[in-house]
Amino acid sequence: MGGRPSSPLDKRQQQHLRGQVDALMKNFLPQYRVQLAASVLRQISRELVPQELAGCQLLHSKKLPRVREHRGPLIQLQGHPLQWQPVFCVLRGDGRLEWFSRREEYENGGRPLGSAALTGYTVLTSQHEYLHLLDTLCPDSPATGEMQRAWRLALQGGIRLRGTVLQRSQAPAAHAFLDTIRLYRQHKGHFGHDDMTLGSDAEVSAAQARTGTPRNSLGPHRSPRSPLLQVLTAVLMRELLPALQAQIQTGLRGAGRARAWAWTELLDAVHAAVLAGASAGLRAFQLEKDELLAALDRTIRPDVDHLLRLRGRVSAKLLAEVQGPLESCLSRKVDAQLPRLTQTLLSTVEAALAAVQTLLVQGMDRLSRHLRGSPSSTRLRKEVYSFGEMPWDPELMQTCYREAERSQGHLGQLVALFGFSGVRSLVFGAQDLSQQLMADAVATFLQLADQCLTTALDCIQAAQQLEKVRGRVLKKFQSDSSSFQRKFVRRWQICIFLPFVLSQLEPSCKAELSEFEGEVLAVGSPALTIEGIYEDVIQGALLQRIDRELKKALGASDVSCALDGCSEVPWKQAEADEETEAQRGTCPKQPGTCTEVQPLYPLLPPGTFWS
């Protein structure tokens, strides 16, 4: 990190770390292979049923995910000894931060001094003692309070974008990786969802911002890394740190801040060693993974009906065996908290999406007013551009993001009972959803406007057409908003309750699995495991309760929308050949996917209203 000439770890310690990382990777990769097979089977089975996306009313924006590019001065802690030095920083649209010695170097196309993908970083706006330390160490900088706020919002957007890459991905490999991380930790006794996949305290550093102070600071340089590598490194660091802390921290020299800096340098060195080992392991596995995915698709696809029927039969037998303890656990531990948690989650996402709708209406009304006023082509073009950029305006969207954060403390208290410490991931998910729906609504409005505005219309008539488009978009937004609220609540309740229930049933029900294992192993497919079937059984029972509670809360007749492959009773659709064959086919074309764009109002060139 940033100019340190040597590692505080001696050769013996470095060798010891390499050996530990290699051992952990040898344990991790076999589980990853198994989950890749299970994920491919899940993906193929989803192709057999109508896709949920077909029910979406809004056009899906092609512009996500990104953040708005932001530029300006910060100060960076670098060198040896460490010193704060001014740099010119650029936050790219993919959440990558670059820094240059001067603005002129950036403007002249020079190479950056360094860069950091903001995966696993955090923006510090509290933690008084640490900020007090920064106050002591940081020199004054020319940054104003307004610049500070702009950087804080920009960095928060970049961190969220980078931190939720795996959660947003629909690729089988991403799902398999996250499942492997969860199971790897469960096998070591760590049940409960947390923010591990967003990064860990071991690698949080670097981008620091404050409210109400004329200081910005950028910590030392970290090399860009993939989300998979960052997450795996965080898992390995979490596992290695307790023993490392006990062995090494007692030998650190100095006291107070000097000792704290020494520990920070040591953590940096450990992180670099773990990162290098994990990177080498994943890099070596990459080619094998690509070949394995292709081979799995070739072998599983022809046999999918047989595999799903077998899974259904074993699920039914397994449910009969564990139903007693399972029902007892759900009745005693889950049912009492489910209504309150359902309402809190609904309130959180409802408030965020209500703020999105308010901003959307204001933006559409503003365009109509400008059109009625017979604006110049340049002015109207500028307003259309501003409307199209709304989803990526961090200042504007902050009102929606704050609504998602408002119940964070209360949620933390509710879910702590179940060992859930992933509230930050949950809030990020609500913020991602807000941005996604805003982007979809904006794209839909601009597409429909393209289709209805013609050269035959004057300004008043064009504004009237936009009013009709406004009404259509709002109806579509409200329909999709309701659907995604249910999906959001179901997903996060599974994240909260499933690991907890599994941990409660671990002593009594895990022993029952062995009698069914032979039947699964006889199939000879890595896509089926008794542990995976067992988790689906537990999940199916949970989803029945969750859907029942959602129906009460929403007063809806049907809340069993598909959830990332988690149907109400997983794999049930495959119990009969006739059902499976009847469900084959492709999803209907989405509304608004036509690429032909009609001529626009004469002040605007074709395509101006298209996002």
Side-chain angles (χ1 to χ4, degrees):
M1 287 181 47
R4 292 173 186 172
S6 62
S7 170
L9 296 172
D10 60 33
K11 288 185 178 180
R12 182 184 60 81
Q13 291 168 330
Q14 292 178 24
Q15 279 187 331
H16 179 66
L17 270 177
R18 278 196 294 270
Q20 287 184 299
V21 172
D22 288 346
L24 292 173
M25 291 297 294
K26 287 178 181 177
N27 190 10
F28 177 84
L29 289 178
Q31 296 182 46
Y32 192 16
R33 293 184 183 95
V34 171
Q35 291 307 312
L36 283 170
S39 188
V40 170
L41 175 60
R42 190 177 297 116
Q43 175 74 16
I44 294 173
S45 70
R46 277 203 296 262
E47 295 172 7
L48 303 180
V49 295
Q51 298 296 296
E52 182 191 359
L53 192 59
C56 294
Q57 299 296 308
L58 293 170
L59 172 70
H60 187 64
S61 171
K62 297 179 180 179
K63 285 191 175 182
L64 281 178
R66 68 180 175 96
V67 292
R68 176 177 284 185
E69 186 168 293
H70 189 76
R71 300 181 292 274
L74 290 174
I75 53 176
Q76 182 185 27
L77 186 63
Q78 59 181 334
H80 192 80
L82 293 171
Q83 293 180 337
W84 294 98
Q85 299 179 17
V87 289
F88 184 79
C89 293
V90 180
L91 178 66
R92 300 295 188 181
D94 62 355
R96 184 168 38 90
L97 189 67
E98 297 177 346
W99 51 93
F100 303 79
S101 58
R102 299 187 311 276
R103 175 190 287 270
E104 291 75 18
E105 287 192 4
Y106 161 71
E107 293 176 342
N108 293 333
R111 292 175 61 86
L113 296 174
S115 66
L118 296 181
T119 312
Y121 283 64
T122 191
V123 174
L124 297 177
T125 57
S126 58
Q127 299 193 15
H128 177 75
E129 292 182 359
Y130 185 55
L131 293 176
H132 177 70
L133 174 61
L134 290 181
D135 280 341
T136 304
L137 295 173
C138 290
D140 289 335
S141 78
T144 64
E146 184 178 348
M147 292 172 64
Q148 168 61 52
R149 173 177 168 79
W151 267 117
R152 177 170 62 82
L153 295 179
L155 289 171
Q156 284 174 336
I159 289 167
R160 176 171 53 82
L161 175 72
R162 299 293 306 189
T164 56
V165 169
L166 291 173
Q167 287 81 357
R168 292 193 311 269
S169 175
Q170 297 301 311
H175 288 287
F177 183 83
L178 292 175
D179 284 342
T180 307
I181 291 290
R182 179 177 58 80
L183 292 170
Y184 177 85
R185 300 191 71 222
Q186 282 181 192
H187 291 163
K188 295 183 175 294
H190 302 299
F191 290 85
H193 185 98
D194 60 16
D195 291 324
M196 179 69 69
T197 55
L198 298 178
S200 73
D201 293 338
E203 60 216 6
V204 167
S205 72
Q208 297 145 352
R210 293 182 57 186
T211 305
T213 174
R215 283 194 189 112
N216 289 348
S217 61
L218 174 65
H221 172 212
R222 290 190 185 277
S223 300
R225 52 189 183 270
S226 73
L228 267 66
L229 177 58
Q230 182 270 327
V231 170
L232 184 56
T233 302
V235 171
L236 299 180
M237 285 290 289
R238 180 77 64 89
E239 190 163 333
L240 293 173
L241 270 180
L244 184 72
Q245 190 167 8
Q247 293 169 8
I248 297 179
Q249 197 170 28
T250 55
L252 292 177
R253 297 180 180 179
R257 291 176 183 172
R259 184 181 178 84
W261 278 115
W263 176 241
T264 301
E265 287 190 326
L266 181 63
L267 283 182
D268 237 9
V270 173
H271 181 270
V274 173
L275 183 66
S279 177
L282 284 180
R283 192 165 53 246
F285 181 65
Q286 182 62 44
L287 180 60
E288 178 190 340
K289 184 189 76 173
D290 295 340
E291 294 175 349
L292 179 60
L293 284 171
L296 286 169
D297 188 83
R298 288 195 303 270
T299 56
I300 292 174
R301 193 171 292 276
D303 206 27
V304 64
D305 293 341
H306 172 62
L307 292 174
L308 295 182
R309 284 198 303 272
L310 173 63
R311 186 166 196 138
R313 288 199 303 270
V314 175
S315 295
K317 295 177 184 177
L318 192 53
L319 177 60
E321 289 292 328
V322 303
Q323 192 156 20
L326 173 60
E327 184 65 28
S328 175
C329 175
L330 295 177
S331 300
R332 292 183 297 105
K333 303 289 182 70
V334 173
D335 288 353
Q337 298 296 329
L338 187 56
R340 194 157 54 133
L341 183 56
T342 300
Q343 195 56 57
T344 303
L345 287 172
L346 279 173
S347 299
T348 298
V349 70
E350 281 175 353
L353 296 185
V356 171
Q357 180 172 325
T358 299
L359 291 177
L360 176 65
V361 169
Q362 291 172 350
M364 292 188 294
D365 289 349
R366 189 164 54 247
L367 275 182
S368 293
R369 286 197 304 271
H370 280 292
L371 199 54
R372 288 180 186 275
S374 302
S376 67
S377 174
T378 302
R379 176 65 186 276
L380 187 55
R381 203 174 280 118
K382 180 180 178 182
E383 292 299 329
V384 171
Y385 175 80
S386 296
F387 179 79
E389 285 294 299
M390 283 174 58
W392 300 280
D393 185 332
E395 184 71 42
L396 187 71
M397 292 296 294
Q398 186 62 17
T399 57
C400 311
Y401 299 157
R402 275 200 304 266
E403 291 297 335
E405 295 168 352
R406 205 175 296 279
S407 60
Q408 189 167 344
H410 180 49
L411 268 173
Q413 294 175 353
L414 286 178
V415 298
L417 298 170
F418 304 100
F420 180 89
S421 55
V423 175
R424 189 184 185 209
S425 300
L426 191 156
V427 169
F428 276 4
Q431 292 172 338
D432 277 348
L433 178 58
S434 300
Q435 188 179 47
Q436 176 192 329
L437 280 177
M438 174 65 90
D440 291 351
V442 165
T444 303
F445 180 86
L446 295 175
Q447 172 78 335
L448 293 177
D450 262 339
Q451 294 171 350
C452 75
L453 297 182
T454 68
T455 57
L457 303 177
D458 60 26
C459 287
I460 300 299
Q461 291 171 327
Q464 290 171 344
Q465 288 296 319
L466 285 190
E467 285 296 314
K468 295 179 181 178
V469 170
R470 174 188 185 275
R472 291 176 64 188
V473 170
L474 277 179
K475 288 182 180 179
K476 293 174 183 293
F477 176 86
Q478 289 160 359
S479 173
D480 284 7
S481 176
S482 176
S483 174
F484 279 109
Q485 281 179 42
R486 295 193 296 267
K487 181 178 178 180
F488 177 88
V489 172
R490 293 175 95 239
R491 175 192 173 188
W492 285 103
Q493 286 189 324
I494 286 296
C495 289
I496 292 165
F497 289 122
L498 180 59
F500 171 78
V501 174
L502 289 172
S503 70
Q504 296 295 302
L505 297 178
E506 178 87 4
S508 57
C509 293
K510 262 301 186 70
E512 307 289 343
L513 303 185
S514 57
E515 65 178 275
F516 301 100
E517 196 161 14
E519 188 174 356
V520 174
L521 290 175
V523 180
S525 172
L528 285 185
T529 65
I530 190 60
E531 187 174 25
I533 298 174
Y534 170 68
E535 288 203 0
D536 279 338
V537 167
I538 307 303
Q539 181 174 283
L542 270 172
L543 283 173
Q544 288 178 350
R545 276 173 154 79
I546 289 169
D547 286 344
R548 196 159 56 234
E549 191 57 44
L550 272 172
K551 186 175 180 180
K552 292 179 189 175
L554 296 172
S557 59
D558 181 18
V559 295
S560 57
C561 57
L563 174 61
D564 296 334
C566 303
S567 57
E568 185 170 340
V569 181
W571 313 97
K572 187 176 180 180
Q573 75 278 4
E575 291 180 359
D577 282 326
E578 294 80 4
E579 289 185 32
T580 303
E581 291 301 321
Q583 290 166 343
R584 294 188 187 275
T586 58
C587 108
K589 190 174 183 180
Q590 295 181 47
T593 54
C594 177
T595 56
E596 182 179 353
V597 178
Q598 300 298 322
L600 285 170
Y601 181 70
L603 286 178
L604 305 175
T608 301
F609 269 101
W610 172 232
S611 172

